[in-house]
Amino acid sequence: MGSDCLFCRIVAGEIPATIVRETDTTLAFRDIGPKAPVHVLIIPKEHYADVAMLGQGDPALAGELLATAAAVAEDEGLLGDGFRLMFNTGTYGGQEVFHVHAHLLGGAPLGPMLARDVA
Ligand code: AMP
Ligand code: ZN
């Protein structure tokens, strides 16, 4: 991927981001348009389009991403009151950036899981 992908460019240091944690294989940085007092994106450095591709392609890396998310949640003081970790995927999921990223949201009550009931 590389130059066509916004988050690959953040990994490469070509686009600035507020990085809160980095491992050999993952990166966590603050969302540019936060939807909660804490809103951090956690990505694998390697490009996978979405969580299905990551989970099927490299389950160990998916686990490392979860470990980074948990460490950030602890650093941000979210373990006591809780948080939400989500992967928007594809058209129905509202995914806008096609480099897999977990949204870590917390710091206030987050309300219902969905804005409206679509069942
Ligand atoms: P999604 O709709 O799940 O693909 O979410 C993409 C997220 O990326 C949104 O919450 C955006 O605010 C966020 N975003 C877009 N560009 C940047 C950037 N340059 N740095 C940090 N977050 C970004
Ligand atoms: Zn990418």
Side-chain angles (χ1 to χ4, degrees):
M1 246 334 224
S3 61
D4 287 347
C5 172
L6 176 64
F7 288 174
C8 281
R9 296 188 68 189
I10 287 177
V11 171
E14 295 169 8
I15 291 176
T18 304
I19 293 167
V20 297
R21 180 169 284 262
E22 181 170 10
T23 70
D24 287 348
T25 57
T26 66
L27 193 66
F29 52 93
R30 297 201 187 280
D31 194 291
I32 205 168
K35 302 282 197 297
V38 175
H39 188 173
V40 173
L41 303 178
I42 303 99
I43 68 171
K45 290 181 176 177
E46 189 176 344
H47 183 93
Y48 286 90
D50 61 34
V51 71
M53 299 286 282
L54 174 64
Q56 293 181 333
D58 193 339
L61 179 57
E64 289 167 23
L65 186 147
L66 283 186
T68 298
V72 174
E74 183 170 31
D75 288 348
E76 298 286 329
L78 304 183
L79 296 188
D81 289 327
F83 57 89
R84 191 168 290 159
L85 187 67
M86 61 181 208
F87 295 87
N88 295 327
T89 305
T91 304
Y92 280 11
Q95 185 176 3
E96 293 177 352
V97 177
F98 286 84
H99 180 132
V100 60
H101 49 282
H103 292 261
L104 175 68
L105 297 154
L110 296 170
M113 186 166 63
L114 298 176
R116 62 189 171 82
D117 194 345
V118 294

